[in-house]
């Protein structure tokens, strides 16, 4: 078991204060968009051992070697002994890598319109860009690794997003009556082919170079949404989202594309799963994400970053589907688990109220435990002990065995099914 330190990602869209304030720290002078706890090559967690943070019960050879190996980062540490650290099955399934990545995310403005590839698509795309000689850190690189990126987001505050396509009939209803030529054209395309193919055609026409609408055409739709009386609107939220997006990305066709997507609101404590191929954009809020160990993002708009529209269109799924909300299963009196339909990760929330009693944590294999609030001590079957305060995290090896905790506060556990 080792204390780890998350890595800040200072993307321009991030809030400066939300994540620091959450952990009782002062606002920084740069955006803290995300805080990564994982072993991805782009920003592996720092992994250290210190007497004040971790007490080894017995200084046997394995523990001493682990302590020395871990004075670098979590990716290097896992690579030093994949089978012992991950367990034989997880090491085999994940090809020797930690299968998941845990993040805190705090957007100060809407994120890009994006999609994540399947594992097959990621392998093909990663190999193709390698052959083309595109550096991993190049701004025009779409595939940063060869893995898929299904993800689950858990809301700490009210969390707004766009996720997946509405039904063709619903899209037509939202576009009708706006009186803007571009909206009428999109509605006509879907009426002629009222299925996933028509939706694909309409969405693609907004983004592809040859059919991309002018900024003035986009502005007409924005103005029409703003002028539509609330009592006449089939989706007041959709009209409002168009205005919000246009304030950040004026003239971007992705603003109009939002009308084709499902608006979603998560309340604190609610979670949503986004599978590969699902077009989505996070709009506002503060939350936590757990995903497969990947940083593959294909963007279509609403961003200043690299956009690869043809690749996104090739990867995206346009069959209408409602957002996948995941309800937790209460597996003990302190632990509730969100099970996603993938083998890469699961997420548990642990609420500790009785600091005098140790409770067994359900779950196993490699896992990360993060203190969201309060303080807790962790003891493992391997004889190790760790104290976590708010904002601190620990990585548990597969061979650490059963873990017991006690304290007062809230923890999150990321592990593998």
């Amino acid at each position: 078991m080792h204390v780890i330190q998350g890595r800040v990602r200072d993307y321009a869209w991030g809030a400066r204060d939300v994540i620091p304030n959450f952990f009782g720290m002062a606002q920084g002078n740069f955006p803290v968009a995300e805080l990564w706890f994982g072993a991805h090559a782009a920003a592996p967690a720092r992994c250290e051992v210190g007497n004040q943070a971790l007490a080894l019960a017995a200084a046997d050879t394995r523990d001493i070697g682990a302590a020395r190996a871990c004075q670098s980062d979590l990716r290097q540490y896992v690579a030093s002994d994949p089978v012992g650290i991950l367990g034989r099955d997880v090491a085999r399934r994940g090809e020797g890598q930690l299968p998941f990545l845990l993040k805190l995310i705090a957007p100060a403005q809407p994120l890009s319109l994006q999609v994540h590839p399947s594992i097959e698509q990621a392998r093909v795309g990663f190999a193709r860009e390698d052959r083309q000689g595109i550096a991993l850190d190049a701004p025009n690189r779409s595939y940063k690794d060869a893995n898929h990126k299904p993800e689950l987001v858990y809301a700490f505050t009210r969390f707004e997003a766009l996720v997946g396509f509405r039904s063709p009939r619903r899209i037509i209803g939202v576009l009708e009556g706006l009186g803007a030529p571009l909206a009428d054209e999109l509605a006509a395309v879907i009426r002629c082919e009222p299925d996933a193919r028509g939706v694909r055609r309409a969405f693609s026409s907004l983004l592809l170079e040859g059919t991309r609408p002018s900024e003035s055409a986009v502005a007409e739709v924005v103005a029409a949404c703003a002028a539509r009386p609330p009592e006449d609107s089939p989706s007041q939220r959709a009209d409002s989202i168009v205005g919000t997006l246009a304030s950040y990305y004026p003239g971007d066709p992705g603003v109009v594309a939002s009308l084709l997507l499902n608006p979603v609101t998560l309340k604190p404590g609610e979670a949503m799963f986004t599978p590969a191929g699902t077009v989505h954009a996070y709009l506002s809020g503060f939350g936590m994400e757990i995903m497969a160990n990947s940083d593959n993002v294909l963007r279509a708009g609403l961003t200043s970053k690299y956009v690869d529209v043809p690749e996104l269109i090739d990867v995206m799924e346009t069959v209408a589907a409602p957002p996948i909300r995941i309800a937790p299963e209460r597996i003990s009196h302190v632990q509730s688990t969100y099970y996603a339909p993938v083998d890469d990760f699961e997420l548990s929330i642990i609420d500790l109220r009785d600091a005098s009693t140790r409770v067994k944590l359900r779950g196993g294999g490699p896992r990360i435990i993060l203190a969201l609030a309060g303080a807790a001590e962790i003891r493992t079957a391997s004889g190790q002990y760790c104290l976590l305060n708010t904002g601190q995290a620990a990585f548990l090896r597969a061979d650490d065995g059963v873990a017991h905790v006690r304290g007062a506060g809230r923890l999150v556990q990321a592990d593998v099914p």
Side-chain angles (χ1 to χ4, degrees):
M1 178 166 56
H2 302 284
V3 170
I4 61 174
Q5 181 180 352
R7 297 287 297 277
V8 169
R9 307 299 277 167
D10 58 350
Y11 306 134
W13 49 259
R16 293 173 181 264
D17 58 342
V18 174
I19 291 177
N21 289 352
F22 185 71
F23 293 127
M25 301 170 65
Q27 173 180 319
N29 57 2
F30 56 87
V32 183
E34 295 179 343
L35 186 62
W36 287 22
F37 295 91
H40 191 275
R46 293 184 179 88
C47 187
E48 300 175 356
V49 174
N51 292 333
Q52 294 180 346
L54 181 68
L56 300 178
D60 61 25
T61 302
R62 193 208 77 175
D63 287 335
I64 293 172
R68 289 173 180 163
C70 204
Q71 291 171 350
S72 52
D73 67 50
L74 192 55
R75 179 179 174 83
Q76 293 172 327
Y77 176 55
V78 170
S80 71
D81 180 18
V83 173
I85 293 169
L86 303 177
R88 188 172 303 278
D89 179 59
V90 173
R92 177 187 57 80
R93 284 190 282 146
E95 299 180 350
Q97 297 187 41
L98 184 67
F100 60 83
L101 174 59
L102 182 69
K103 299 179 182 180
L104 300 187
I105 180 171
Q109 65 184 61
L111 276 64
S112 60
L113 197 62
Q114 61 185 256
V115 70
H116 305 308
S118 69
I119 194 163
E120 294 81 8
Q121 292 163 337
R123 287 170 177 168
V124 170
F126 184 77
R128 180 179 64 247
E129 293 187 339
D130 268 357
R131 289 194 304 270
Q132 293 170 345
I134 304 174
L136 282 176
D137 59 354
N140 63 329
R141 177 98 189 197
S142 292
Y143 291 94
K144 305 297 179 66
D145 50 68
N147 201 10
H148 64 167
K149 194 188 174 189
E151 60 188 31
L152 182 145
V153 61
Y154 172 92
F156 291 143
T157 67
R158 180 184 173 96
F159 199 91
E160 302 283 352
L162 295 166
V163 181
F165 286 95
R166 300 173 184 264
S167 68
R169 185 183 299 276
R170 184 67 173 153
I171 294 173
I172 292 170
V174 171
L175 294 171
E176 279 182 336
L178 284 174
L182 178 56
D184 293 339
E185 292 168 12
L186 294 171
V189 168
I190 298 175
R191 279 196 207 93
C192 289
E193 208 169 3
D195 54 24
R197 290 170 297 180
V199 173
R200 177 179 292 273
R201 193 183 305 277
F203 186 82
S204 301
S205 72
L206 284 170
L207 302 171
L208 287 171
E209 192 64 36
T211 55
R212 185 183 179 93
S214 65
E215 291 188 7
S216 60
V218 172
E220 288 175 347
V221 175
V222 174
C225 287
R228 181 154 55 183
E231 62 272 16
D232 295 336
S233 175
S235 178
Q236 295 179 39
R237 272 206 298 174
D239 292 343
S240 175
I241 288 170
V242 164
T244 299
L245 294 177
S247 69
Y248 289 103
Y249 308 103
D252 192 316
V255 172
V256 180
S258 71
L259 293 169
L260 282 61
L261 302 173
N262 295 302
V264 182
T265 300
L266 297 179
K267 297 176 183 178
E270 293 184 333
M272 177 178 63
F273 176 71
T274 303
T278 301
V279 177
H280 63 285
Y282 294 154
L283 304 179
S284 64
F286 175 37
M288 176 171 55
E289 288 183 287
I290 184 169
M291 60 196 64
N293 185 37
S294 175
D295 194 28
N296 286 327
V297 181
L298 300 169
R299 301 177 183 88
L302 306 180
T303 182
S304 59
K305 293 184 177 181
Y306 177 63
V307 169
D308 190 346
V309 173
E311 186 68 14
L312 178 140
I313 289 173
D314 189 50
V315 165
M316 73 179 182
E317 175 60 67
T318 54
V319 172
I324 304 172
R325 295 175 181 267
I326 304 292
E329 181 176 338
R330 193 164 183 82
I331 60 176
S332 79
H333 70 287
V334 299
Q335 185 171 353
S336 297
T337 300
Y338 296 82
Y339 295 107
V342 291
D343 294 332
D344 307 83
F345 58 80
E346 59 189 27
L347 185 76
S348 293
I349 303 296
I350 298 106
D351 287 305
L352 302 175
R353 299 182 179 87
D354 182 0
S356 65
T357 304
R358 288 193 181 91
V359 294
K360 176 182 175 181
L361 285 184
R362 304 284 290 274
R367 43 185 159 164
I368 290 173
I369 298 176
L370 169 64
L372 297 178
E377 64 172 34
I378 307 170
R379 292 184 182 272
T380 68
S382 61
Q384 299 190 62
Y385 167 83
C386 179
L387 285 174
L388 292 182
N389 291 305
T390 302
Q392 295 182 321
F395 176 77
L396 279 65
R397 299 167 53 110
D399 53 10
D400 279 329
V402 175
H404 288 81
V405 297
R406 72 174 179 178
R410 170 168 281 195
L411 308 176
V412 60
Q413 175 179 275
D415 66 333
V416 185

